[in-house]
Amino acid sequence: MRKTFREMSDQKFRLRAFLWHEFKEGKTAAEAHRSLPPVFGENALSKSQCRRWFHRFRSGEESLEDDERSGRPEIIDNDALRQAVELDPCLTTRSLSEQFNCSHMTILRHLHALGKSVRCGKWVPHELSEANKKKRVEVANDLLRRSKNRGFFHSILTSDEKWIQYDCSERKHQWLSPGETPKPTPKPDIHGKKVMICVWWNTRGLVYFELLDHGQTVTAQRDKGQLDRVDLALKQQGVDTSTTLLIHDNARPHTAKITQKKTLELGWEVLQHPPYSPDLAPSDYHLFRSMQHHLAEKKFKSDEEVKIWVTNYFESQPAEFFKKGIETLRMRWQMVVDNDGEYLLD
């Protein structure tokens, strides 16, 4: 948990008082530094800092306070500071200290008093233009109206692709005792073996998946061939394919003429999907997120091992998992409308 400025100030004073006591006991700076960990924990103070304070004590200066800095006001207008950071949240404390003609630590102290803290924004897939946002709202509104029809979500079929690495090692936090060194984690080879999986699913569960051969990616011709196999799988599951509503992204293989022609032949309807919108694709926000979580620390030696794992993963998911993934679309479309087309940051 992050310490408050007051807590940091108290800790600083206690450290200096401890050093002053050690100095009075005739200890050296090195001996005092070795005495710090049992009392204050590891890395409480560096050796150089200890030496500086001992030099200060030897010179006759026994004050434990920081030296005053001339010409640098320590009190600033909090309202003006709040206005500055709310106008531009990306301002650094260094630039603010120059703007308000005060020390860096003064800016930090006042920002903490205002309840401000530093957090990074999430990465988003694309910088949406106003036209992109408008399109997202239009599509979401149209699909919301259609979703009121009986059986709408039950007719949805969705598909997407995902790379699965052979080595899914992750660096994790470790519970350690003071002074204990964390165990290193070998960094996975970003150019290591991986295989692409193509998945088709609906509210009932998995419809069809296949792993592509190494070096292959999805093309329009390959996507066209998959459509036939998916249609057969749906019929084997007793699904009336004439009511199929297909949701997939706007990748070129999905929007190619031969792919569009094939979906028309099958009697499927392709639902609108706004550009740059993985947050509205069930595989991205639901299925693949869950898969990635389960893949953590997995290591595969062959495509066959990947295929077995994927099969077991799908078989282990309850029917409610797939149903929820599709039906969540209604809530997400409404959120896009309410947020004027902005990305959903969940």
Side-chain angles (χ1 to χ4, degrees), residues 74-104:
E74 296 300 302
I75 299 176
I76 59 177
D77 186 342
N78 277 347
D79 290 335
L81 179 61
R82 181 188 288 108
Q83 184 178 7
V85 296
E86 289 180 355
L87 188 64
D88 183 1
C90 295
L91 285 173
T92 66
T93 53
R94 297 295 178 185
S95 63
L96 285 167
S97 66
E98 294 176 4
Q99 179 179 336
F100 287 89
N101 188 32
C102 63
S103 69
H104 169 247

Side-chain angles (χ1 to χ4, degrees), residues 105-318:
M105 288 303 298
T106 299
I107 291 294
L108 279 176
R109 184 167 67 249
H110 281 262
L111 287 174
H112 286 310
L114 291 170
K116 301 292 184 181
S117 60
V118 179
R119 294 192 301 273
C120 288
K122 289 187 176 182
W123 288 107
V124 293
H126 183 76
E127 184 174 356
L128 294 172
S129 65
E130 290 304 313
N132 294 149
K133 296 175 188 177
K134 183 180 179 181
K135 184 64 176 177
R136 280 165 57 86
V137 172
E138 289 176 357
V139 172
N141 268 322
D142 178 62
L143 293 172
L144 278 171
R145 285 192 293 270
R146 294 197 57 182
S147 69
K148 296 177 183 179
N149 297 331
R150 185 175 181 180
F152 178 81
F153 290 107
H154 203 55
S155 299
I156 287 179
L157 171 70
T158 188
S159 73
D160 214 330
E161 302 83 36
K162 172 181 173 59
W163 286 107
I164 295 182
Q165 300 281 348
Y166 269 36
D167 184 354
C168 302
S169 300
E170 293 183 350
R171 188 175 61 174
K172 293 186 176 182
H173 295 291
Q174 302 173 33
W175 292 104
L176 303 171
S177 301
E180 190 177 358
T181 303
K183 294 180 180 179
T185 303
K187 192 173 184 180
D189 182 5
I190 61 173
H191 302 295
K193 284 188 175 182
K194 59 184 179 181
V195 60
M196 178 171 280
I197 179 176
C198 302
V199 183
W200 302 72
W201 57 288
N202 55 23
T203 56
R204 302 170 188 82
L206 175 68
V207 173
Y208 176 80
F209 83 88
E210 67 178 51
L211 301 181
L212 303 187
D213 293 335
H214 285 284
Q216 290 186 341
T217 57
V218 176
T219 63
Q221 192 63 42
R222 190 168 288 116
D223 197 32
K224 175 177 176 289
Q226 284 186 2
L227 289 170
D228 279 323
R229 294 189 285 277
V230 172
D231 184 63
L232 177 61
L234 284 169
K235 290 175 178 176
Q236 289 175 342
Q237 294 176 5
V239 176
D240 180 5
T241 58
S242 64
T243 63
T244 297
L245 304 174
L246 177 61
I247 291 182
H248 56 191
D249 59 29
N250 297 305
R252 288 187 179 181
H254 300 158
T255 58
K257 288 184 178 179
I258 60 173
T259 305
Q260 294 181 17
K261 182 180 178 182
K262 187 61 184 180
T263 54
L264 285 174
E265 290 176 4
L266 295 172
W268 298 1
E269 178 185 353
V270 179
L271 293 177
Q272 292 189 79
H273 184 79
Y276 313 113
S277 298
D279 56 333
L280 298 179
S283 292
D284 282 312
Y285 70 71
H286 184 72
L287 179 65
F288 290 162
R289 183 179 295 181
S290 170
M291 284 186 70
Q292 193 60 42
H293 174 73
H294 284 79
L295 279 166
E297 300 305 314
K298 294 291 186 298
K299 293 186 178 182
F300 304 107
K301 297 180 180 179
S302 66
D303 285 4
E304 186 61 27
E305 286 189 6
V306 176
K307 186 174 182 179
I308 292 172
W309 182 90
V310 171
T311 301
N312 292 335
Y313 167 79
F314 282 121
E315 290 179 349
S316 69
Q317 300 306 313

Side-chain angles (χ1 to χ4, degrees), residues 19-57:
L19 292 179
W20 181 83
H21 177 269
E22 295 292 281
F23 174 77
K24 288 296 186 180
E25 290 291 317
K27 303 285 185 63
T28 65
E31 289 172 333
H33 183 262
R34 286 194 293 271
S35 301
L36 287 172
V39 182
F40 296 97
E42 294 291 331
N43 305 318
L45 213 62
S46 68
K47 290 182 180 179
S48 60
Q49 288 173 308
C50 287
R51 286 194 294 268
R52 282 198 297 270
W53 277 98
F54 267 65
H55 176 75
R56 180 170 175 165
F57 296 150

